[in-house]
Amino acid sequence: MKHARNDGPDLAFRLGRRVVTAVADDMSTTQRVVAGVVAALVAVSPFGAWNEVEPQADPLTVGTPVEVGPFEVTIEKAATADELGHLVPAPGNHMLAVVANVTNTGDVPEIAGTLGSAVPAPENVGIVPQEPMGSLGAEPGTDPADDGATPSAAPSASAAPGDEGGSAEPELPSPSIVNIKDGADVRILNPGLTYRVALIWEQSGEFSGDVIPLRMVELEWVEEDPLGLDDGHWFANEIAFEGQIPVEAAKPAPSTEAEQQ
Amino acid sequence: MRHGRRRITWKGTALVVGAVAAGCALVTYVPQVQGVDTPFVVKGAVGETLDLTYAELTVTDVRVADTVAGFSDAAAAGGTFVVIDATWRATQGETHFSGAEITDRQGRRFWATNAAECSATAAAQPGYAWRTTYCFDVPRDALEGATVRLARGDDDEDHADQRRDAVAVVDLGITASEADQLWETTETVSPEAPGYAPASAGGSEG
C-alpha cells in the first residue's frame, strides 16, 4: 500500500544524497572532512556568521556607579559654561563639563590620563577636535563645529549643525580633568579617595541640545606588553557603558568650591 | 687513526639530557632575579638622618592639613594631606630625587602632589642641604602606621628604577589615636618653596 506523502522534499533529499555520494566516493577521509567544514561554513554565511560582533554596552545613567578598570565612576551631571577656571574656549564656543565622582578602588595611584582614556569625547555634539600634529602651523580649522562624526553613527538629538563630515576624521581630544574642590588640574588619583571632578571639552557654540551621548570604555590591565615596550599599563578596550546624559544650561563662569568658601 | 661516524651511546645521551634538565631546574627554581633586583631599604624615624650612600636624608617634620596653600594656588585634600618636610644632602654629585610615596598598613601606595609649593620630586647639588616639602593626599584609614618611601629612583608601578639602589623608608609614627585626631584637623599649611636648608634643618643656608 502506498502511503500518501509529499514527494517534493523526499526527491530533493535523494537528489542531494546522490550528488554527495557521487562527489564523496572518490575522496579520502581528510578531503571529506575538509569538504564538510567548507560546506558548513558556506551554510552559515546567510545567517550573519561573518558579521562583526558588536558588544552590547551596559546603560550609563546619572547617579549610578559603574566600574571601569581601577575606577568607580558615578556621573553626576553634564553642564556647559562660558569658561571653566583656566580653560577658556575660542570666541563663540563654550566648555562642556561632565561632572563625576571618581574613586580609585585599586592599591596604587593612577594618573589622570588613565581616567581620561576611559571617557572618550561625546560624538556628534560639536566637540572641537584636536589639532592634527601635521597641521600645527597651518591655518586653524574654519569649522569648529565639525567633530568628525561618522555618518553611520547613531543620530543624536543634539547633533551640531554643520556636521557634514570631512574626508579625514579629525581626532576628538581627551578631556581636561579638573578637581572641582580646588579648581586645579587633577594629576594623580590616589587609592581610597573619591574625587569630584569635571571632565571638560571645548564645544561648538552652535550646540543647543539638552542631552549628550556619553560612553565609557572598559580598561584592561596589560601585565606584559606584546612588544615589550610598555609593561604594566591600562589599555582602553571596548565601549562598556553608554547613555544619554542631560545637559544643564550654560552658566556664566562658575567659581570653584574653594572660591565659594 | 680511526675514521668514520661516532656512535651515539645511551650514556652520552643521558649525560646531555641530564645537563639540560639541571640547567632548566637552576633557572626555574633559584630566585636569582629577586636576589639582585630588590632595593636596599634603609629604615628610620622622623628626625633621624639616614645614609643612602648617594645622599643623606632627614625627615624633619610631619603635619596634616585639609588645604595646602602656595604662593599662587591652593590645593584641597580629598582626604587629608600628610605634609612631610625633608632635607636631602647629596653626597656624590648632583642628584635628582624622583621617588616619593606613602605606604599604608594595607600596602596601598600614595603619590605626592606638586601643587601649592609642594614637591613631588627634588634635585640637589652635592655639599648642600636641600629642603623640600612633600604633600600626600590620603584617606583616613591610611594614616595609622603609614611610612614614607623616599629615593632617587622613580616610584613607578613596580619600583623598577629603585632596583639595586638604596631607598629610605621612614615610619611617620602615627598611632591609631593620633590618626583620629589628625583626621579631624582642619588646618591650612603653607609649605615653603624648596630651597637651601637652614642650619636648624641640617643645612648651612647654602
Side-chain angles (χ1 to χ4, degrees):
Chain A
M1 183 179 168
K2 196 173 181 181
H3 296 283
R5 62 182 182 185
N6 186 352
D7 280 347
D10 186 50
L11 183 64
F13 175 75
R14 281 188 291 172
L15 267 174
R17 196 173 64 175
R18 281 193 180 182
V19 170
V20 170
T21 306
V23 172
D25 265 355
D26 295 333
M27 287 182 169
S28 67
T29 305
T30 307
Q31 286 172 323
R32 286 179 185 180
V33 169
V34 171
V37 170
V38 171
L41 293 179
V42 171
V44 296
S45 293
F47 304 103
W50 312 117
N51 292 352
E52 191 176 342
V53 177
E54 293 183 9
Q56 189 71 36
D58 289 329
L60 179 67
T61 55
V62 168
T64 305
V66 297
E67 301 254 354
V68 283
F71 303 115
E72 182 184 274
V73 181
T74 307
I75 302 296
E76 186 181 312
K77 63 180 179 180
T80 57
D82 291 339
E83 59 181 73
L84 287 168
H86 63 280
L87 299 169
V88 180
N93 291 346
H94 56 244
M95 308 307 290
L96 170 69
V98 172
V99 178
N101 289 293
V102 181
T103 305
N104 176 356
T105 58
D107 291 334
V108 295
E110 299 293 345
I111 58 171
T114 304
L115 174 63
S117 66
V119 190
E123 294 180 347
N124 295 341
V125 292
I127 299 298
V128 177
Q130 64 187 24
E131 196 108 344
M133 291 296 285
S135 66
L136 286 177
E139 191 179 343
T142 53
D143 183 11
D146 181 8
D147 67 358
T150 53
S152 61
S156 164
S158 56
D163 248 346
E164 303 297 334
S167 55
E169 293 181 9
E171 197 173 336
L172 298 183
S174 298
S176 299
I177 303 176
V178 170
N179 187 351
I180 293 177
K181 206 167 184 179
D182 56 19
D185 286 334
V186 175
R187 190 178 68 87
I188 54 170
L189 296 103
N190 275 330
L193 293 172
T194 298
Y195 299 82
R196 187 164 177 252
V197 302
L199 301 119
I200 302 171
W201 296 270
E202 184 178 351
Q203 189 177 37
S204 165
E206 296 176 26
F207 170 77
S208 59
D210 52 7
V211 293
I212 55 164
L214 192 69
R215 300 185 299 173
M216 298 196 65
V217 175
E218 177 191 351
L219 296 176
E220 183 184 331
W221 180 249
V222 178
E223 186 67 41
E224 287 188 28
D225 186 68
L227 300 175
L229 301 174
D230 189 15
D231 289 342
H233 69 277
W234 289 103
F235 171 68
N237 207 335
E238 294 169 341
I239 301 296
F241 302 94
E242 61 183 344
Q244 300 288 324
I245 307 299
V247 180
E248 289 184 3
K251 295 174 185 172
S255 57
T256 64
E257 286 181 6
E259 289 168 345
Q260 289 167 1
Q261 287 169 358
Chain B
M1 188 172 173
R2 268 181 80 182
H3 294 284
R5 295 170 60 189
R6 291 190 177 189
R7 289 183 61 196
I8 298 173
T9 64
W10 283 110
K11 195 176 173 183
T13 305
L15 206 63
V16 171
V17 171
V20 171
C24 291
L26 274 175
V27 171
T28 306
Y29 295 110
V30 176
Q32 49 190 319
V33 174
Q34 195 179 3
V36 296
D37 273 2
T38 49
F40 304 103
V41 176
V42 181
K43 293 184 178 179
V46 176
E48 190 179 342
T49 297
L50 305 179
D51 184 359
L52 303 181
T53 67
Y54 54 84
E56 291 174 352
L57 167 72
T58 310
V59 171
T60 55
D61 197 11
V62 179
R63 296 165 284 172
V64 295
D66 267 7
T67 306
V68 286
F71 176 72
S72 58
D73 62 336
T80 190
F81 280 118
V82 175
V83 181
I84 295 175
D85 295 318
T87 302
W88 286 102
R89 183 187 289 274
T91 53
Q92 295 177 344
E94 181 184 3
T95 307
H96 200 84
F97 305 103
S98 301
E101 69 177 27
I102 276 182
T103 309
D104 72 358
R105 290 183 309 154
Q106 303 172 46
R108 293 180 301 179
R109 296 161 53 188
F110 305 87
W111 287 345
T113 179
N114 58 1
E117 313 291 353
C118 297
S119 301
T121 63
Q125 298 288 341
Y128 296 96
W130 186 260
R131 170 185 42 74
T132 190
T133 301
Y134 299 100
C135 306
F136 301 87
D137 192 359
V138 303
R140 180 178 191 153
D141 59 358
L143 287 171
E144 183 192 348
T147 59
V148 65
R149 178 182 176 120
L150 300 168
R152 65 177 170 183
D154 202 346
D155 50 12
D156 57 5
E157 188 71 37
D158 55 358
H159 294 130
D161 290 343
Q162 295 179 359
R163 288 174 186 160
R164 298 184 291 276
D165 201 9
V167 303
V169 174
V170 177
D171 187 347
L172 301 181
I174 302 174
T175 62
S177 58
E178 286 173 331
D180 292 336
Q181 286 178 346
L182 293 172
W183 180 258
E184 301 301 332
T185 302
T186 55
E187 199 174 325
T188 296
V189 167
S190 298
E192 282 187 69
Y196 294 111
S200 60
S204 57
E205 295 276 18

mmCIF file with all atom_site columns, all heavy atoms in Angstrom, chain A residues 195-207:
data_model
loop_
_atom_site.group_PDB
_atom_site.id
_atom_site.type_symbol
_atom_site.label_atom_id
_atom_site.label_alt_id
_atom_site.label_comp_id
_atom_site.label_asym_id
_atom_site.label_entity_id
_atom_site.label_seq_id
_atom_site.pdbx_PDB_ins_code
_atom_site.Cartn_x
_atom_site.Cartn_y
_atom_site.Cartn_z
_atom_site.occupancy
_atom_site.B_iso_or_equiv
_atom_site.pdbx_formal_charge
_atom_site.auth_seq_id
_atom_site.auth_comp_id
_atom_site.auth_asym_id
_atom_site.auth_atom_id
_atom_site.pdbx_PDB_model_num
ATOM 1   N N   . TYR A 1 195 ? 37.177 61.592 44.270 1.00 0.00 ? 195 TYR A N   1
ATOM 2   C CA  . TYR A 1 195 ? 37.405 62.927 43.717 1.00 0.00 ? 195 TYR A CA  1
ATOM 3   C C   . TYR A 1 195 ? 36.161 63.354 42.940 1.00 0.00 ? 195 TYR A C   1
ATOM 4   O O   . TYR A 1 195 ? 35.659 62.593 42.121 1.00 0.00 ? 195 TYR A O   1
ATOM 5   C CB  . TYR A 1 195 ? 38.598 62.931 42.761 1.00 0.00 ? 195 TYR A CB  1
ATOM 6   C CG  . TYR A 1 195 ? 39.920 62.542 43.390 1.00 0.00 ? 195 TYR A CG  1
ATOM 7   C CD1 . TYR A 1 195 ? 40.256 61.201 43.568 1.00 0.00 ? 195 TYR A CD1 1
ATOM 8   C CD2 . TYR A 1 195 ? 40.829 63.504 43.798 1.00 0.00 ? 195 TYR A CD2 1
ATOM 9   C CE1 . TYR A 1 195 ? 41.461 60.833 44.138 1.00 0.00 ? 195 TYR A CE1 1
ATOM 10  C CE2 . TYR A 1 195 ? 42.041 63.146 44.364 1.00 0.00 ? 195 TYR A CE2 1
ATOM 11  C CZ  . TYR A 1 195 ? 42.360 61.814 44.529 1.00 0.00 ? 195 TYR A CZ  1
ATOM 12  O OH  . TYR A 1 195 ? 43.554 61.451 45.085 1.00 0.00 ? 195 TYR A OH  1
ATOM 13  N N   . ARG A 1 196 ? 35.708 64.562 43.217 1.00 0.00 ? 196 ARG A N   1
ATOM 14  C CA  . ARG A 1 196 ? 34.625 65.134 42.402 1.00 0.00 ? 196 ARG A CA  1
ATOM 15  C C   . ARG A 1 196 ? 35.303 65.941 41.298 1.00 0.00 ? 196 ARG A C   1
ATOM 16  O O   . ARG A 1 196 ? 35.922 66.970 41.567 1.00 0.00 ? 196 ARG A O   1
ATOM 17  C CB  . ARG A 1 196 ? 33.721 66.015 43.248 1.00 0.00 ? 196 ARG A CB  1
ATOM 18  C CG  . ARG A 1 196 ? 32.485 66.502 42.521 1.00 0.00 ? 196 ARG A CG  1
ATOM 19  C CD  . ARG A 1 196 ? 31.442 67.029 43.487 1.00 0.00 ? 196 ARG A CD  1
ATOM 20  N NE  . ARG A 1 196 ? 30.286 67.547 42.776 1.00 0.00 ? 196 ARG A NE  1
ATOM 21  C CZ  . ARG A 1 196 ? 30.004 68.848 42.681 1.00 0.00 ? 196 ARG A CZ  1
ATOM 22  N NH1 . ARG A 1 196 ? 30.748 69.740 43.279 1.00 0.00 ? 196 ARG A NH1 1
ATOM 23  N NH2 . ARG A 1 196 ? 28.944 69.242 41.984 1.00 0.00 ? 196 ARG A NH2 1
ATOM 24  N N   . VAL A 1 197 ? 35.209 65.428 40.099 1.00 0.00 ? 197 VAL A N   1
ATOM 25  C CA  . VAL A 1 197 ? 35.976 66.022 39.004 1.00 0.00 ? 197 VAL A CA  1
ATOM 26  C C   . VAL A 1 197 ? 35.048 66.478 37.883 1.00 0.00 ? 197 VAL A C   1
ATOM 27  O O   . VAL A 1 197 ? 33.895 66.037 37.782 1.00 0.00 ? 197 VAL A O   1
ATOM 28  C CB  . VAL A 1 197 ? 37.002 65.020 38.416 1.00 0.00 ? 197 VAL A CB  1
ATOM 29  C CG1 . VAL A 1 197 ? 37.952 64.534 39.487 1.00 0.00 ? 197 VAL A CG1 1
ATOM 30  C CG2 . VAL A 1 197 ? 36.305 63.847 37.747 1.00 0.00 ? 197 VAL A CG2 1
ATOM 31  N N   . ALA A 1 198 ? 35.578 67.373 37.082 1.00 0.00 ? 198 ALA A N   1
ATOM 32  C CA  . ALA A 1 198 ? 34.899 67.774 35.843 1.00 0.00 ? 198 ALA A CA  1
ATOM 33  C C   . ALA A 1 198 ? 35.763 67.339 34.675 1.00 0.00 ? 198 ALA A C   1
ATOM 34  O O   . ALA A 1 198 ? 36.957 67.648 34.641 1.00 0.00 ? 198 ALA A O   1
ATOM 35  C CB  . ALA A 1 198 ? 34.686 69.278 35.822 1.00 0.00 ? 198 ALA A CB  1
ATOM 36  N N   . LEU A 1 199 ? 35.152 66.577 33.760 1.00 0.00 ? 199 LEU A N   1
ATOM 37  C CA  . LEU A 1 199 ? 35.839 66.192 32.524 1.00 0.00 ? 199 LEU A CA  1
ATOM 38  C C   . LEU A 1 199 ? 35.380 67.184 31.463 1.00 0.00 ? 199 LEU A C   1
ATOM 39  O O   . LEU A 1 199 ? 34.185 67.254 31.152 1.00 0.00 ? 199 LEU A O   1
ATOM 40  C CB  . LEU A 1 199 ? 35.494 64.762 32.140 1.00 0.00 ? 199 LEU A CB  1
ATOM 41  C CG  . LEU A 1 199 ? 35.871 63.731 33.213 1.00 0.00 ? 199 LEU A CG  1
ATOM 42  C CD1 . LEU A 1 199 ? 34.645 62.991 33.708 1.00 0.00 ? 199 LEU A CD1 1
ATOM 43  C CD2 . LEU A 1 199 ? 36.891 62.762 32.680 1.00 0.00 ? 199 LEU A CD2 1
ATOM 44  N N   . ILE A 1 200 ? 36.321 67.937 30.929 1.00 0.00 ? 200 ILE A N   1
ATOM 45  C CA  . ILE A 1 200 ? 35.947 69.135 30.170 1.00 0.00 ? 200 ILE A CA  1
ATOM 46  C C   . ILE A 1 200 ? 36.469 69.073 28.732 1.00 0.00 ? 200 ILE A C   1
ATOM 47  O O   . ILE A 1 200 ? 37.627 68.719 28.483 1.00 0.00 ? 200 ILE A O   1
ATOM 48  C CB  . ILE A 1 200 ? 36.515 70.386 30.882 1.00 0.00 ? 200 ILE A CB  1
ATOM 49  C CG1 . ILE A 1 200 ? 35.973 70.449 32.319 1.00 0.00 ? 200 ILE A CG1 1
ATOM 50  C CG2 . ILE A 1 200 ? 36.145 71.647 30.131 1.00 0.00 ? 200 ILE A CG2 1
ATOM 51  C CD1 . ILE A 1 200 ? 36.631 71.520 33.171 1.00 0.00 ? 200 ILE A CD1 1
ATOM 52  N N   . TRP A 1 201 ? 35.577 69.429 27.801 1.00 0.00 ? 201 TRP A N   1
ATOM 53  C CA  . TRP A 1 201 ? 35.943 69.574 26.402 1.00 0.00 ? 201 TRP A CA  1
ATOM 54  C C   . TRP A 1 201 ? 35.441 70.941 25.912 1.00 0.00 ? 201 TRP A C   1
ATOM 55  O O   . TRP A 1 201 ? 34.453 71.471 26.438 1.00 0.00 ? 201 TRP A O   1
ATOM 56  C CB  . TRP A 1 201 ? 35.276 68.508 25.533 1.00 0.00 ? 201 TRP A CB  1
ATOM 57  C CG  . TRP A 1 201 ? 35.668 67.100 25.820 1.00 0.00 ? 201 TRP A CG  1
ATOM 58  C CD1 . TRP A 1 201 ? 36.690 66.401 25.262 1.00 0.00 ? 201 TRP A CD1 1
ATOM 59  C CD2 . TRP A 1 201 ? 35.011 66.187 26.728 1.00 0.00 ? 201 TRP A CD2 1
ATOM 60  N NE1 . TRP A 1 201 ? 36.719 65.121 25.760 1.00 0.00 ? 201 TRP A NE1 1
ATOM 61  C CE2 . TRP A 1 201 ? 35.706 64.954 26.659 1.00 0.00 ? 201 TRP A CE2 1
ATOM 62  C CE3 . TRP A 1 201 ? 33.917 66.290 27.582 1.00 0.00 ? 201 TRP A CE3 1
ATOM 63  C CZ2 . TRP A 1 201 ? 35.339 63.855 27.411 1.00 0.00 ? 201 TRP A CZ2 1
ATOM 64  C CZ3 . TRP A 1 201 ? 33.562 65.189 28.342 1.00 0.00 ? 201 TRP A CZ3 1
ATOM 65  C CH2 . TRP A 1 201 ? 34.258 63.994 28.255 1.00 0.00 ? 201 TRP A CH2 1
ATOM 66  N N   . GLU A 1 202 ? 36.097 71.470 24.897 1.00 0.00 ? 202 GLU A N   1
ATOM 67  C CA  . GLU A 1 202 ? 35.581 72.676 24.245 1.00 0.00 ? 202 GLU A CA  1
ATOM 68  C C   . GLU A 1 202 ? 34.532 72.246 23.232 1.00 0.00 ? 202 GLU A C   1
ATOM 69  O O   . GLU A 1 202 ? 34.726 71.279 22.496 1.00 0.00 ? 202 GLU A O   1
ATOM 70  C CB  . GLU A 1 202 ? 36.707 73.449 23.554 1.00 0.00 ? 202 GLU A CB  1
ATOM 71  C CG  . GLU A 1 202 ? 36.232 74.762 22.955 1.00 0.00 ? 202 GLU A CG  1
ATOM 72  C CD  . GLU A 1 202 ? 37.355 75.548 22.302 1.00 0.00 ? 202 GLU A CD  1
ATOM 73  O OE1 . GLU A 1 202 ? 38.526 75.163 22.454 1.00 0.00 ? 202 GLU A OE1 1
ATOM 74  O OE2 . GLU A 1 202 ? 37.042 76.559 21.629 1.00 0.00 ? 202 GLU A OE2 1
ATOM 75  N N   . GLN A 1 203 ? 33.418 72.988 23.221 1.00 0.00 ? 203 GLN A N   1
ATOM 76  C CA  . GLN A 1 203 ? 32.288 72.593 22.376 1.00 0.00 ? 203 GLN A CA  1
ATOM 77  C C   . GLN A 1 203 ? 31.862 73.766 21.506 1.00 0.00 ? 203 GLN A C   1
ATOM 78  O O   . GLN A 1 203 ? 31.927 74.935 21.931 1.00 0.00 ? 203 GLN A O   1
ATOM 79  C CB  . GLN A 1 203 ? 31.125 72.153 23.275 1.00 0.00 ? 203 GLN A CB  1
ATOM 80  C CG  . GLN A 1 203 ? 29.963 71.525 22.548 1.00 0.00 ? 203 GLN A CG  1
ATOM 81  C CD  . GLN A 1 203 ? 28.883 71.048 23.506 1.00 0.00 ? 203 GLN A CD  1
ATOM 82  O OE1 . GLN A 1 203 ? 28.623 71.690 24.518 1.00 0.00 ? 203 GLN A OE1 1
ATOM 83  N NE2 . GLN A 1 203 ? 28.248 69.937 23.199 1.00 0.00 ? 203 GLN A NE2 1
ATOM 84  N N   . SER A 1 204 ? 31.397 73.452 20.333 1.00 0.00 ? 204 SER A N   1
ATOM 85  C CA  . SER A 1 204 ? 30.918 74.490 19.424 1.00 0.00 ? 204 SER A CA  1
ATOM 86  C C   . SER A 1 204 ? 29.760 75.264 20.053 1.00 0.00 ? 204 SER A C   1
ATOM 87  O O   . SER A 1 204 ? 28.883 74.682 20.694 1.00 0.00 ? 204 SER A O   1
ATOM 88  C CB  . SER A 1 204 ? 30.445 73.848 18.120 1.00 0.00 ? 204 SER A CB  1
ATOM 89  O OG  . SER A 1 204 ? 29.667 74.771 17.381 1.00 0.00 ? 204 SER A OG  1
ATOM 90  N N   . GLY A 1 205 ? 29.753 76.572 19.839 1.00 0.00 ? 205 GLY A N   1
ATOM 91  C CA  . GLY A 1 205 ? 28.668 77.408 20.356 1.00 0.00 ? 205 GLY A CA  1
ATOM 92  C C   . GLY A 1 205 ? 27.344 77.106 19.697 1.00 0.00 ? 205 GLY A C   1
ATOM 93  O O   . GLY A 1 205 ? 26.286 77.526 20.182 1.00 0.00 ? 205 GLY A O   1
ATOM 94  N N   . GLU A 1 206 ? 27.397 76.396 18.573 1.00 0.00 ? 206 GLU A N   1
ATOM 95  C CA  . GLU A 1 206 ? 26.154 76.082 17.870 1.00 0.00 ? 206 GLU A CA  1
ATOM 96  C C   . GLU A 1 206 ? 25.404 74.915 18.495 1.00 0.00 ? 206 GLU A C   1
ATOM 97  O O   . GLU A 1 206 ? 24.270 74.630 18.120 1.00 0.00 ? 206 GLU A O   1
ATOM 98  C CB  . GLU A 1 206 ? 26.462 75.779 16.402 1.00 0.00 ? 206 GLU A CB  1
ATOM 99  C CG  . GLU A 1 206 ? 27.041 76.970 15.658 1.00 0.00 ? 206 GLU A CG  1
ATOM 100 C CD  . GLU A 1 206 ? 27.431 76.593 14.238 1.00 0.00 ? 206 GLU A CD  1
ATOM 101 O OE1 . GLU A 1 206 ? 26.850 75.650 13.698 1.00 0.00 ? 206 GLU A OE1 1
ATOM 102 O OE2 . GLU A 1 206 ? 28.330 77.250 13.692 1.00 0.00 ? 206 GLU A OE2 1
ATOM 103 N N   . PHE A 1 207 ? 26.048 74.235 19.419 1.00 0.00 ? 207 PHE A N   1
ATOM 104 C CA  . PHE A 1 207 ? 25.368 73.115 20.081 1.00 0.00 ? 207 PHE A CA  1
ATOM 105 C C   . PHE A 1 207 ? 24.236 73.652 20.960 1.00 0.00 ? 207 PHE A C   1
ATOM 106 O O   . PHE A 1 207 ? 24.440 74.564 21.766 1.00 0.00 ? 207 PHE A O   1
ATOM 107 C CB  . PHE A 1 207 ? 26.360 72.337 20.936 1.00 0.00 ? 207 PHE A CB  1
ATOM 108 C CG  . PHE A 1 207 ? 25.698 71.320 21.836 1.00 0.00 ? 207 PHE A CG  1
ATOM 109 C CD1 . PHE A 1 207 ? 25.244 70.116 21.326 1.00 0.00 ? 207 PHE A CD1 1
ATOM 110 C CD2 . PHE A 1 207 ? 25.516 71.582 23.189 1.00 0.00 ? 207 PHE A CD2 1
ATOM 111 C CE1 . PHE A 1 207 ? 24.642 69.184 22.153 1.00 0.00 ? 207 PHE A CE1 1
ATOM 112 C CE2 . PHE A 1 207 ? 24.917 70.657 24.023 1.00 0.00 ? 207 PHE A CE2 1
ATOM 113 C CZ  . PHE A 1 207 ? 24.477 69.454 23.505 1.00 0.00 ? 207 PHE A CZ  1
#
